[in-house]
């Protein structure tokens, strides 16, 4: 990624709030544990996964990727990020406001993800998970020791309240994900049951409801959940908010009285006494602050700075370390997204033509120092990316939907952007684009592309930062050579957020974070249900029956083989529709940090694993202090 593309579109995705999502590691060679049905015909388990197999048995001591002897203490500090590089709310679950980073550290959920498995979760607040083989409902039995930060017990009433308030007042993204949950029932002070809608695809629903943050029902009495606020939410997680400087920084303090600190899933995790996020309006100011030691950890998103900007004294003296942390998760669906709600973008030939104006090869060589690869798949850098001609299993899914898809979805390799000559203005590709525009009825008259009604083909790229001018500028020049009236409009952060939420744009940059086990979240990103729902992450307004049907095939897959086949078919369909101008990716995190940290010997493959697994190394810190570095 580069610059502004650190923006993640689905900011309210609930998976990010399962506290173990920040940590991961390689799977062990042991055989998976498979919960067996009990004599009552139900499955009683300590964990759950999409396809039934669990790496860790009921008596596991700790996750393999965590060091149970990691010392506690010190501080982790980094740059706060968000849509507008500031914050005015501590409630990330609603549409209003710009939430601070790290609120999930203060909240627990029923389940906690095991990030060395693609889709497994284990009991955190829940000590037992009970469900029938068809997963039509699930019961969670709570741990009696679970407590909120004020010492009050966490009960089934709190769990039910949390679901109901998220369902009724949460952001559209959350409400869409919970649509197949029919009801929640408090069966006892320590038992809560979720029933799912008849006919719903239930594979992922137990884990979904298990990942929801848990709020205190008593604490929320007299407070309005739908209103943004800087009052910290009472939670039961490993951290609590210590200090808030609105728009500038937020600091979290590790709770010595955290009720779950000795649970196997928490051993070796969340080791820093304090975690602080510093906010800067300007990226240059943020980088200068990092160089001066104002914060300690920095992930670099600018390729030019990564290639040329790390020659400052702290690096030369060994005080600041640089490395690329490998990443085995899907690299993210990043690109310039068309707003298909607008008539001028209805014809896929128009969208394909516009995309041909982006010369990635020139950008990568000239602007990115050759650090990136072109993205072509919606599931890049993963086994879920479609390659080569479709298999018979994929065709069996695609053929019944052919009436709603371009022929390219069923024929040959999936669409990939052509490789340019790297000149910045490849005439061959521009001629191809102009032929597509001619065929779509946009002819050149008086130097501009016009349709039969005489309307000019005019497009506007919308952003809230000038950072991408160097990338979008040459793209726009190529579009103008085709006769398209193209421009970039930069607005302030508040206006940008409002316009994106209300789909008031032609083209916007953005990035989705994709899962190794995609599920109901795909409905939010690409499904018809979210196409016209303000605030939903379906940026393009895509409402295609074939895509909807393929998403349901993904959600209903009963094995990883079925899942992979369905995602491959979905990837082919989405790529054939030209709903975006795909950008670029790299399969690793480019990070720099002051040399004051310790960490487990093996980096997790599915996440950075920094805040959750690293620790403060006082010996290293003392050396830097002695040398005058800090």
């Amino acid at each position: 990624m580069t610059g502004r593309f650190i923006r993640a579109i689905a900011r309210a995705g609930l998976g990010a709030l399962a506290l173990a999502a920040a940590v991961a590691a390689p799977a062990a060679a042991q055989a998976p544990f498979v919960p067996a049905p009990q004599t009552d015909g139900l499955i009683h388990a300590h964990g759950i996964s999409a396809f039934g197999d669990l790496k860790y048995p009921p008596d596991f001591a700790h996750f393999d990727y965590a060091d149970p002897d990691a010392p506690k203490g010190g501080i982790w500090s980094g740059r706060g990020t968000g849509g507008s590089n500031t914050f005015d709310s501590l409630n990330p679950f609603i549409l209003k406001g710009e939430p601070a980073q790290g609120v999930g550290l203060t909240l627990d959920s029923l389940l906690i993800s095991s990030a060395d498995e693609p889709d497994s979760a284990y009991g955190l607040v829940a000590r037992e998970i009970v469900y029938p083989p068809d997963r039509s409902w699930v019961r969670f039995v709570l741990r009696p020791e679970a407590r909120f930060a004020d010492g009050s017990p966490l009960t089934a009433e709190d769990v039910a309240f949390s679901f109901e308030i998220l369902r009724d007042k949460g952001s559209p993204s959350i409400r869409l994900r919970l649509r197949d949950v029919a009801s929640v029932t408090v069966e006892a002070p320590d038992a809560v049951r979720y029933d799912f809608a008849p006919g719903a695809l239930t594979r992922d629903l137990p884990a979904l409801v298990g990942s929801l943050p848990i709020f205190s029902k008593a604490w929320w009495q007299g407070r309005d959940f739908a209103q943004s606020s800087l009052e910290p939410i009472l939670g039961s997680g490993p951290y609590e908010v210590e200090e808030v400087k609105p728009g500038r920084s937020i600091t979290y303090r590790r709770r010595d009285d955290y009720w779950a600190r000795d649970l196997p899933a928490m051993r070796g995790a969340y080791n820093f006494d304090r975690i602080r996020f510093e906010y800067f309006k300007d990226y240059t100011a943020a980088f200068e602050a990092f160089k001066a030691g104002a914060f300690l950890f920095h992930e670099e998103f600018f390729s030019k700075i990564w290639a040329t900007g790390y020659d400052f004294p702290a690096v030369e003296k060994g005080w600041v370390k640089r490395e690329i942390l490998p990443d085995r998760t899907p690299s993210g669906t990043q690109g310039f997204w068309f707003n298909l709600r607008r008539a001028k973008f209805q014809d896929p030939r128009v969208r394909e033509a516009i995309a041909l104006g982006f010369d990635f090869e020139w950008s990568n060589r000239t602007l990115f120092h050759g650090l990136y690869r072109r993205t072509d798949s919606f599931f890049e850098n993963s086994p879920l990316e479609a390659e080569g001609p479709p298999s018979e299993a994929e065709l069996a899914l695609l053929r019944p939907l052919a009436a709603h898809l371009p022929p390219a979805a069923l024929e040959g390799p999936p669409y990939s952007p052509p490789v340019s000559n790297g000149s910045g203005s490849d005439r061959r590709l521009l001629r191809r684009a102009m032929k597509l525009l001619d065929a779509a009825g946009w002819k050149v008259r008086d130097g501009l592309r016009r349709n039969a009604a005489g309307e000019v083909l005019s497009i506007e790229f919308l952003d809230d930062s000038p950072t991408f001018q160097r990338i979008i500028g040459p793209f726009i020049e190529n579009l103008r050579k085709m006769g398209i009236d193209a421009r970039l409009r930069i607005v302030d952060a508040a206006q940008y957020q409002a316009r994106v939420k209300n789909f008031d744009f032609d083209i916007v940059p953005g990035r989705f974070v994709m899962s190794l086990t995609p599920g109901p979240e795909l409905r939010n990103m690409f499904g018809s249900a979210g196409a016209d729902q303000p605030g939903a992450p379906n940026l393009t307004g895509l409402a295609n029956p074939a895509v909807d049907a393929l998403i349901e095939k993904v959600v209903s897959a009963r094995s990883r083989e079925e899942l992979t086949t369905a995602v491959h078919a979905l990837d082919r369909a989405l790529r054939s529709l030209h709903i975006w101008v795909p950008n670029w990716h790299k399969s690793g995190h480019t990070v720099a940090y002051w040399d004051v940290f310790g960490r487990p010997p093996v980096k997790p493959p599915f996440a950075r694993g920094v805040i959750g697994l690293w620790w403060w190394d006082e010996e290293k810190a003392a050396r830097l202090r002695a040398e005058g570095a800090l």
Side-chain angles (χ1 to χ4, degrees):
M1 293 175 294
T2 300
R4 292 292 297 137
F5 281 58
I6 57 177
R7 181 189 304 117
I9 295 301
R11 87 174 191 197
L14 294 173
L17 297 170
L19 294 180
V23 293
Q30 64 200 66
F33 172 84
V34 180
Q38 304 295 304
T39 56
D40 58 5
L42 303 175
I43 296 171
H44 296 248
H46 65 294
I48 193 168
S49 71
F51 304 114
D53 54 334
L54 297 170
K55 173 184 173 182
Y56 295 96
D59 59 350
F60 77 100
H62 60 83
F63 289 135
D64 289 347
Y65 46 77
D67 183 346
D69 299 319
K72 306 292 185 185
I75 185 171
W76 182 96
S77 56
R79 174 172 170 253
T81 59
S84 54
N85 291 327
T86 187
F87 69 93
D88 58 14
S89 173
L90 297 186
N91 186 348
F93 310 106
I94 58 175
L95 204 54
K96 291 184 178 181
E98 189 65 38
Q101 200 164 341
V103 173
L105 294 165
T106 69
L107 299 163
D108 277 334
S109 50
L110 291 164
L111 304 178
I112 183 168
S113 300
S114 159
D116 55 354
E117 301 167 88
D119 50 45
S120 294
Y122 296 83
L124 181 58
V125 171
R127 62 181 171 87
E128 184 181 42
I129 310 160
V130 183
Y131 57 96
D134 65 0
R135 304 193 182 197
S136 57
W137 57 269
V138 62
R139 175 186 298 118
F140 296 99
V141 182
L142 278 54
R143 298 183 192 273
E145 65 268 32
R147 291 287 186 276
F148 289 103
D150 66 354
S152 59
L154 191 162
T155 69
E157 288 281 355
D158 298 305
V159 175
F161 165 80
S162 302
F163 165 77
E164 290 167 346
I165 204 166
L166 288 167
R167 178 197 60 196
D168 298 339
K169 296 186 176 183
S171 71
S173 297
I174 295 175
R175 296 201 304 268
L176 281 171
R177 295 192 70 188
L178 299 179
R179 70 179 190 181
D180 287 333
V181 183
S183 64
V184 59
T185 304
V186 175
E187 297 185 322
D190 66 344
V192 62
R193 169 171 164 155
Y194 288 94
D195 284 272
F196 305 126
L201 302 172
T202 61
R203 184 194 71 203
D204 301 311
L205 291 179
L208 172 62
V209 295
S211 74
L212 298 177
I214 301 173
F215 310 122
S216 165
K217 181 178 180 179
W219 187 84
W220 275 104
Q221 300 308 304
R223 292 177 170 91
D224 188 352
F225 188 84
Q227 296 300 316
S228 64
S229 170
L230 285 171
E231 181 182 17
I233 296 172
L234 177 65
S236 60
Y239 287 84
E240 61 186 350
V241 175
E242 180 178 55
E243 183 180 37
V244 177
K245 296 180 179 178
R248 294 173 52 197
S249 70
I250 183 167
T251 303
Y252 300 90
R253 178 178 58 227
R254 186 172 59 83
R255 293 176 49 208
D256 290 329
D257 62 347
Y258 177 45
W259 71 272
R261 64 184 181 275
D262 295 323
L263 289 182
M266 284 294 179
R267 288 177 186 153
Y270 301 112
N271 304 308
F272 297 104
D273 278 353
R274 282 171 176 79
I275 293 172
R276 185 173 70 244
F277 295 97
E278 301 274 0
Y279 284 79
F280 300 85
K281 289 281 189 181
D282 179 77
Y283 186 89
T284 300
F287 188 52
E288 291 302 316
F290 170 70
K291 289 160 63 174
F295 59 94
L296 301 172
F297 183 93
H298 178 62
E299 181 165 4
E300 184 58 72
F301 295 102
F302 285 95
S303 54
K304 181 179 180 180
I305 295 177
W306 183 254
T308 66
Y310 284 81
D311 56 355
F312 53 93
V315 174
E316 295 166 358
K317 294 177 181 179
W319 298 342
V320 168
K321 302 293 185 182
R322 285 205 312 159
E323 64 179 295
I324 299 176
L325 303 177
D327 183 15
R328 285 172 49 192
T329 61
S331 60
T333 304
Q334 178 179 307
F336 302 113
W337 299 87
F338 294 104
N339 187 355
L340 274 60
R341 302 169 188 86
R342 304 205 159 169
K344 59 191 170 187
F345 295 134
Q346 287 293 304
D347 193 320
R349 293 172 295 186
V350 173
R351 305 193 295 268
E352 182 180 359
I354 291 171
L356 289 171
F358 176 57
D359 192 330
F360 164 75
E361 283 69 31
W362 179 86
S363 297
N364 195 36
R365 175 175 56 83
T366 307
L367 304 176
F368 303 157
H369 298 266
L371 293 176
Y372 294 101
R373 297 177 60 190
R374 184 72 188 268
T375 295
D376 51 18
S377 168
F378 289 80
F379 302 91
E380 194 75 45
N381 193 43
S382 81
L384 301 175
E385 176 181 355
E387 296 179 319
S391 66
E392 280 303 315
E394 291 169 43
L395 287 172
L397 299 179
L398 290 166
R399 283 180 182 132
L401 307 172
H404 302 290
L405 292 171
L410 289 81
E411 300 170 357
Y415 179 82
S416 293
V419 177
S420 79
N421 60 15
S423 66
S425 186
D426 189 324
R427 294 184 179 182
R428 173 181 57 91
L429 296 183
L430 296 185
R431 285 194 297 267
R432 175 174 161 184
M434 290 188 280
K435 288 180 180 178
L436 286 168
L437 292 171
D438 286 339
W442 293 93
K443 310 283 187 177
V444 176
R445 281 185 284 165
D446 302 322
L448 292 172
R449 292 276 167 183
R450 301 176 187 269
N451 61 15
E455 297 168 326
V456 173
L457 181 54
S458 176
I459 61 174
E460 178 183 272
F461 292 81
L462 182 70
D463 205 352
D464 62 353
S465 167
T467 302
F468 263 64
Q469 270 184 299
R470 67 192 186 113
I471 299 163
I472 296 176
F475 187 4
I476 285 175
E477 288 303 312
N478 280 340
L479 297 178
R480 289 174 176 168
K481 290 175 184 178
M482 300 179 198
I484 298 172
D485 176 23
R487 65 182 66 88
L488 168 64
R489 181 180 294 275
I490 298 172
V491 298
D492 63 64
Q495 184 180 353
Y496 179 86
Q497 293 296 322
R499 289 186 61 176
V500 171
K501 287 176 182 177
N502 291 290
F503 309 126
D504 181 17
F505 61 85
D506 285 344
I507 300 175
V508 291
R511 177 176 181 267
F512 291 105
V513 177
M514 307 303 281
S515 167
L516 286 165
T517 307
E521 74 279 0
L522 294 174
R523 296 170 178 155
N524 291 344
M525 299 175 186
F526 307 116
S528 299
D532 295 311
Q533 181 105 308
N538 186 341
L539 283 181
T540 66
L542 183 63
N544 182 290
V547 171
D548 290 343
L550 291 170
I551 289 173
E552 297 312 302
K553 292 292 185 182
V554 173
V555 176
S556 64
R558 296 184 177 275
S559 67
R560 186 150 292 278
E561 182 181 8
E562 281 186 27
L563 178 84
T564 301
T565 297
V567 176
H568 284 172
L570 176 63
D571 192 31
R572 293 179 189 278
L574 291 172
R575 289 160 71 172
S576 74
L577 291 169
H578 300 284
I579 63 175
W580 67 333
V581 182
N583 285 173
W584 50 85
H585 70 280
K586 54 183 173 60
S587 56
H589 301 277
T590 45
V591 303
Y593 53 90
W594 287 80
D595 190 20
V596 294
F597 301 122
R599 54 177 158 167
V602 179
K603 188 266 174 193
F606 302 142
R608 289 189 323 185
V610 175
I611 293 177
L613 292 178
W614 290 20
W615 58 83
W616 180 264
D617 189 316
E618 181 55 35
E619 184 176 334
K620 290 182 178 180
R623 179 180 65 83
L624 263 60
R625 284 194 291 266
E627 295 179 14
L630 294 176

